[in-house]
Amino acid sequence: MTTFTFAVPDHVKPIRTKVRDFIEQRIYPVENEIDAGRREIIGELMQEAKKQNLWALGHPKEIGGGGLPFLDYVYVNEVIGRSEYATVALGTHSLQDSIMLNLYASDEWRERYLKPLVEGEIFPSFAMTEPDVASSDPTQLQTRAELDGNEWVINGRKWFTSGASVAAYTTVMVRTEPPETPDHMAFSMIVVPTDTPGYTIVRDTPVMGHHGAHCEVVYDNVRVPKDNLLGPRGHGFVIAQERLGPGRIFHVMRWLGQAQRAFDLMCDRANNRVAFGEPLANKQLIQKMVFDSYAEIQACRLMTLHAASIIDRGDQARVEIGSIKVVAASMLHNVIDRAIQVHGAKGLTDDLPLQRMYRAARAGRIYDGPDEVHIWSVARRLLGVYRKGESWDFGSR
Ligand SMILES: Cc1cc2nc3c(=O)[nH]c(=O)nc-3n(C[C@H](O)[C@H](O)[C@H](O)COP(=O)(O)OP(=O)(O)OC[C@H]3O[C@@H](n4cnc5c(N)ncnc54)[C@H](O)[C@@H]3O)c2cc1C
């Protein structure tokens, strides 16, 4: 187990610096081209990252990854976050899906998908959300799978399946159990290769004017072998929860990397742009933006590393994880928004990455559970402690 510190530990610094240099020198200059649709550049970056031994650093060694311990990898994620294209370029995008396959897939699917997945030769996708029900309450999901002999037959409609247009397979969350089953044990995850008959992408849903990432998919009598089930029947939510905990730490560390990039841009601009006879940096209203951003980033970083240390001890850290998801999403949104404001009109242009970062940050308050759901769930847990006559002892965490 790595000892937890707020500063990056010395033994992590060399690999973290190497990753940061790669991102700043190789990825930053081509971000606009990738954004404009030149996806082949990502393939070139992937090859280069492999050559430099920067590939899939956090994946366990036994499935072909770099095997960095959880806490070490947390700090590396902070610099990976600086560019939204870095996760794919460095092969870290498949971490959660490959761990899920490794733990729960049948031998056949592990053989077929795991190696190419970790190598970045194929892409995964994950389908939970549906257009017709409030999917932040996933017990309402309507997509069903019935067992017919040795096959699951899946019917339903999903949307916001990120990456579906390039994915080799989708892990789909479906109701498999009879109506009398308690909701939390009624759903399962099933692997569906995207070339299965009846699986049809009906729409690439534009998000804030941007195309190419999130798809609406119809499942019309999609038949897959019985063994495509991940884990036991009815364990869909259990597996989803395992997927989400450490995943949220990595997400939030990447958001902290984005916030650092926005903060750097904001402070440089404030020092260098002159208005009304002095640098913007001399104006108190601008200083307030710098202060607020500093305080929000710092508070969020401390909370996130603290949550990571609790997860590293083997606790699910439900209160801490739910809290950082909310605090981090709003921190990121606020810091990028202020950085745009300090740049004036330039902040909205493609000359800077801020407009792209802002779009992604806005979505962060919705995906992986909207803010309100996490707030509700964290508050219920805290109040529940008091209902039992105890208190939430901050010092004991
Ligand atoms: C960029 C992006 C990528 C995504 N990628 C994927 C993906 O790959 N796979 C996938 O399955 N899904 C994905 N999603 C979907 C995402 O997970 C859902 O949008 C999210 O779970 C919310 O579900 P919903 O959109 O149905 O909102 P709803 O459930 O309809 O909720 C709408 C609003 O209701 C409010 N609300 C809900 N519950 C409560 C409550 N308890 N208290 C107070 N207010 C509440 C919140 O304000 C919430 O925003 C993605 C979404 C985005 C934006």
Side-chain angles (χ1 to χ4, degrees):
M1 191 192 286
T2 307
T3 313
F4 145 70
T5 57
F6 292 118
V8 181
D10 284 343
H11 69 278
V12 182
K13 282 181 185 161
I15 185 68
R16 191 173 180 274
T17 304
K18 217 174 151 194
V19 169
R20 197 182 71 194
D21 289 349
F22 183 83
I23 291 167
E24 290 182 356
Q25 290 160 21
R26 298 290 297 112
I27 304 185
Y28 280 7
V30 291
E31 283 177 333
N32 280 355
E33 283 180 76
I34 299 172
D35 214 26
R38 288 201 52 209
R39 310 295 297 183
E40 71 278 10
I41 295 176
I42 294 198
E44 292 160 17
L45 291 168
M46 288 162 95
Q47 294 312 320
E48 208 173 316
K50 285 181 186 175
K51 273 193 215 138
Q52 294 194 28
N53 294 324
L54 297 177
W55 185 256
L57 291 171
H59 288 60
K61 269 216 159 65
E62 69 267 20
I63 61 168
L68 276 184
F70 171 67
L71 271 187
D72 292 358
Y73 185 55
V74 165
Y75 299 98
V76 175
N77 254 277
E78 193 175 9
V79 291
I80 290 177
R82 291 188 184 206
S83 170
E84 67 176 290
Y85 298 116
T87 48
V88 179
L90 297 167
T92 71
H93 62 286
S94 67
L95 178 62
Q96 286 161 271
D97 288 278
S98 49
I99 288 177
M100 203 164 66
L101 273 191
N102 191 36
L103 287 177
Y104 296 110
S106 65
D107 289 348
E108 187 199 335
W109 290 105
R110 215 179 295 120
E111 285 283 300
R112 191 147 144 197
Y113 282 148
L114 197 52
K115 190 165 176 295
L117 188 62
V118 177
E119 284 293 313
E121 289 158 5
I122 62 166
F123 289 91
S125 58
F126 183 72
M128 181 129 152
T129 307
E130 298 180 5
D132 299 331
V133 290
S135 302
S136 41
D137 173 3
T139 62
Q140 301 192 101
L141 297 176
Q142 292 174 339
T143 303
R144 306 186 60 87
E146 315 275 352
L147 206 49
D148 179 23
N150 278 334
E151 288 181 328
W152 290 106
V153 184
I154 306 171
N155 281 290
R157 180 183 289 261
K158 299 283 181 182
W159 80 336
F160 273 87
T161 305
S162 300
S165 54
V166 292
Y169 75 93
T170 289
T171 305
V172 63
M173 180 75 115
V174 287
R175 185 178 274 273
T176 49
E177 304 311 304
E180 62 276 13
T181 316
D183 281 335
H184 68 283
M185 294 307 285
F187 290 82
S188 305
M189 287 192 195
I190 298 180
V191 172
V192 177
T194 52
D195 58 4
T196 310
Y199 174 99
T200 311
I201 296 179
V202 292
R203 174 156 89 118
D204 160 5
T205 317
V207 173
M208 296 176 94
H210 198 66
H211 292 257
H214 314 291
C215 296
E216 184 166 341
V217 181
V218 167
Y219 297 71
D220 181 13
N221 284 318
V222 171
R223 286 182 169 266
V224 294
K226 195 176 159 194
D227 284 352
N228 284 30
L229 185 73
L230 286 186
R233 277 181 78 140
H235 276 230
F237 288 140
V238 178
I239 299 173
Q241 191 53 44
E242 277 178 28
R243 175 189 163 96
L244 282 175
R248 287 206 175 110
I249 300 273
F250 297 142
H251 256 333
V252 172
M253 287 309 283
R254 286 198 299 273
W255 287 350
L256 282 159
Q258 287 271 293
Q260 168 93 62
R261 187 172 178 188
F263 188 72
D264 292 349
L265 287 166
M266 175 171 67
C267 293
D268 280 347
R269 181 72 165 187
N271 278 328
N272 292 312
R273 189 78 161 173
V274 173
F276 303 96
E278 59 181 0
L280 291 175
N282 290 7
K283 319 274 183 200
Q284 285 191 339
L285 286 174
I286 300 292
Q287 290 166 357
K288 175 83 164 76
M289 291 195 217
V290 172
F291 173 84
D292 286 345
S293 300
Y294 164 80
E296 286 179 36
I297 293 172
Q298 180 70 354
C300 178
R301 191 170 186 279
L302 299 184
M303 283 177 76
T304 308
L305 290 171
H306 176 242
S309 75
I310 297 175
I311 292 230
D312 199 46
R313 295 200 303 252
D315 186 313
Q316 283 197 332
R318 293 279 190 96
V319 165
E320 289 82 1
I321 293 286
S323 307
I324 59 165
K325 169 69 177 51
V326 177
V327 168
S330 109
M331 171 281 298
L332 180 63
H333 181 264
N334 295 345
V335 173
I336 297 171
D337 185 61
R338 292 184 197 114
I340 290 174
Q341 192 68 14
V342 171
H343 280 85
K346 187 179 182 179
L348 297 172
T349 68
D350 286 1
D351 293 358
L352 293 172
L354 291 168
Q355 42 76 30
R356 190 172 50 241
M357 291 160 69
Y358 188 69
R359 194 172 52 215
R362 185 62 190 85
R365 291 181 50 207
I366 294 175
Y367 64 74
D368 264 7
D371 288 357
E372 292 77 5
V373 174
H374 290 291
I375 292 168
W376 174 59
S377 152
V378 168
R380 267 189 320 171
R381 283 176 192 279
L382 294 172
L383 291 166
V385 172
Y386 286 85
R387 267 197 300 277
K388 282 192 279 176
E390 298 164 12
S391 85
W392 180 262
D393 181 0
F394 288 87
S396 71
R397 304 286 294 169

